[in-house]
Amino acid sequence: MIKIDHLSTSYTTIDGPVHVINDVDFEIYDNEIFGIAGESGCGKTTLLKALYDILDFPLVVDSGKLILSGEKNGQAFSFETGQIRNTWWNHISYVPQAAQSVLNPIVPVKKQFLDSIPKANITKEPKAITMKRISNYLEELSLSPDLLNAYPFQLSGGMRQRVIIALATFMSPNVVLADEPTTALDVVVQRGILMMLMSLQKQLKNTMVIVSHDMGVHYQITDRMGIMYSGSMVELGKTEDIFEKPIHPYTRMLVGALPRVGDKSQKTGIPGRPPALTNPPPGCRFAPRCPKTAEECKKSVPKFREVEKGRFAACHLLNRGECRCQKNYSK
Ligand SMILES: Nc1ncnc2c1ncn2[C@@H]1O[C@H](COP(=O)(O)OP(=O)(O)OP(=O)(O)O)[C@@H](O)[C@H]1O
Ligand SMILES: [Mg+2]
């Protein structure tokens, strides 16, 4: 469905390019919820922007490309980087980070719906019919059609997020990208939003890409997930495998920091901070924080490779046979 083919991007700054996505190469399938996790500043939003084809200056593609392909209403489609933006809303839509603040507070929700839907899709029918369709769709999502007459400033953050998700999914796009959809919401509202995303995916049978720094969110709703560190994908696989037998030391630390029911052990964070992308260390970028660093980690960048079917990681430990998938892993 989405092929990310050796993609590298950078931001152009007065001090030179800041390389944020480095040779990222993987696929996102039809009919799955794919998660992207990693610490703040590792490039999750940048990757999502690239997926949505928001590749406008200062963000530029250095190499590689993206291909969005599939089938909608019996018609096959395939779009590459630069073409994907022509199919926004129809085949792909985007719920940006801090989406609650993207609605204009002083414009009623219904006008924002009508202004957002591509004109080509609504000019063919009378406005009253479009409004009826929007209102029915909100009801399908268990949202009151009265919301259409409200102004965003009258709605809670959670309700604004629901409205944005409704807007993003109204045209049944094949792919929905959601950047931190539950951040800044309390846990009860978070759960409601996650349930909404899950049931929409089941109903549309489409692809959802969920970015979150919260591993708990990935555990609850994603089928497969990728872990990013300092602009690179360091591990990817089925979510249950990532949690049950993480390979990369960074993933092990992320998973190990999660509280579990009945586990009374002291939880520790990951020491240190990710490197500045303006001046990353040579070799593996996680090496300065890794408890298993060896000489080669400081010199060469580990290759992102398939460790077992559908399971990828980029770590020199794999060469040393110290991966948790293999029997001789020692903690
Ligand atoms: N316009 C820009 N110019 C230069 N650097 C930028 C620009 N936008 C983002 N960056 C840098 O790109 C890196 C990745 O940012 P990005 O927003 O993709 O991270 P993120 O993983 O989404 O973080 P968060 O979890 O905080 O949302 C950061 O180091 C950031 O400073
Ligand atoms: Mg972000």
Side-chain angles (χ1 to χ4, degrees):
M1 168 53 67
I2 312 183
K3 181 163 176 51
I4 298 101
D5 186 4
H6 293 282
L7 186 75
S8 296
T9 67
S10 55
Y11 287 102
T12 309
T13 71
I14 44 171
D15 300 318
V18 181
H19 299 282
V20 176
I21 302 296
N22 302 302
D23 196 23
V24 168
D25 187 65
F26 68 102
E27 284 173 11
I28 301 173
Y29 305 141
D30 280 330
N31 200 2
E32 73 166 348
I33 304 188
F34 186 88
I36 301 174
E39 274 166 293
S40 185
C42 69
K44 304 181 295 297
T45 295
T46 307
L47 179 59
L48 220 57
K49 281 184 183 167
L51 295 180
Y52 198 52
D53 209 8
I54 313 179
L55 291 159
D56 297 322
F57 188 83
L59 181 60
V60 291
V61 176
D62 297 321
S63 56
K65 64 178 176 186
L66 283 151
I67 303 166
L68 169 71
S69 61
E71 199 188 280
K72 185 168 181 181
N73 302 332
Q75 288 210 316
F77 64 86
S78 179
F79 302 99
E80 285 195 12
T81 325
Q83 303 170 327
I84 295 173
R85 58 177 55 210
N86 300 329
T87 188
W88 284 352
W89 303 92
N90 269 326
H91 293 100
I92 186 164
S93 64
Y94 179 51
V95 178
Q97 189 161 5
Q100 294 102 305
S101 45
V102 301
L103 291 173
N104 186 336
I106 52 162
V107 175
V109 170
K110 69 174 166 203
K111 178 151 172 46
Q112 307 209 36
F113 258 89
L114 290 174
D115 289 348
S116 308
I117 302 163
K119 296 286 169 280
N121 295 80
I122 54 169
T123 45
K124 292 177 222 138
E125 63 184 20
K127 196 167 145 199
I129 304 238
T130 309
M131 285 314 302
K132 187 73 196 145
R133 284 202 293 128
I134 297 171
S135 160
N136 289 349
Y137 185 62
L138 291 185
E139 273 183 335
E140 265 177 47
L141 300 181
S142 309
L143 297 173
S144 163
D146 293 344
L147 279 173
L148 291 169
N149 293 318
Y151 288 86
F153 76 84
Q154 295 173 316
L155 307 176
S156 66
M159 197 47 81
R160 283 201 297 270
Q161 186 69 299
R162 286 184 171 90
V163 167
I164 305 251
I165 293 171
L167 191 53
T169 52
F170 177 62
M171 308 233 350
S172 310
N174 298 68
V175 178
V176 177
L177 311 170
D179 196 352
E180 303 282 3
T182 58
T183 305
L185 300 172
D186 71 61
V187 284
V188 177
V189 180
Q190 268 191 22
R191 190 170 159 73
I193 298 284
L194 293 180
M195 294 299 120
M196 180 179 184
L197 289 169
M198 277 173 89
S199 80
L200 270 166
Q201 193 279 329
K202 280 208 177 75
Q203 181 191 322
L204 297 170
K205 294 193 172 41
N206 65 355
T207 301
M208 288 215 179
V209 183
I210 310 283
V211 159
S212 180
H213 62 272
D214 183 344
M215 291 293 279
V217 166
H218 294 289
Y219 186 76
Q220 286 181 69
I221 72 163
T222 64
D223 301 308
R224 292 191 311 136
M225 66 182 295
I227 310 283
M228 287 188 75
Y229 186 77
S230 187
S232 301
M233 194 61 84
V234 295
E235 183 158 356
L236 187 148
K238 280 192 191 153
T239 302
E240 59 192 77
D241 292 342
I242 298 267
F243 278 85
E244 273 167 28
K245 41 177 190 170
I247 296 172
H248 198 285
Y250 180 57
T251 318
R252 285 183 214 166
M253 291 168 109
L254 282 180
V255 171
L258 272 182
R260 284 170 199 240
V261 176
D263 177 5
K264 295 202 174 85
S265 65
Q266 175 97 31
K267 298 291 165 199
T268 50
I270 304 176
R273 303 180 60 175
L277 289 169
T278 41
N279 185 25
C284 174
R285 292 187 176 185
F286 189 58
R289 300 169 81 188
C290 181
K292 298 233 166 206
T293 306
E295 270 316 298
E296 69 177 322
C297 307
K298 296 177 194 162
K299 290 185 190 137
S300 69
V301 179
K303 207 170 149 31
F304 184 68
R305 62 183 167 93
E306 194 161 18
V307 181
E308 52 182 49
K309 193 151 171 42
R311 197 73 201 285
F312 298 79
C315 181
H316 288 305
L317 278 180
L318 295 162
N319 303 339
R320 308 206 300 262
E322 290 179 51
C323 145
R324 198 171 272 206
C325 294
Q326 293 161 12
K327 285 200 177 87
N328 58 351
Y329 170 77
S330 58
K331 204 170 179 190

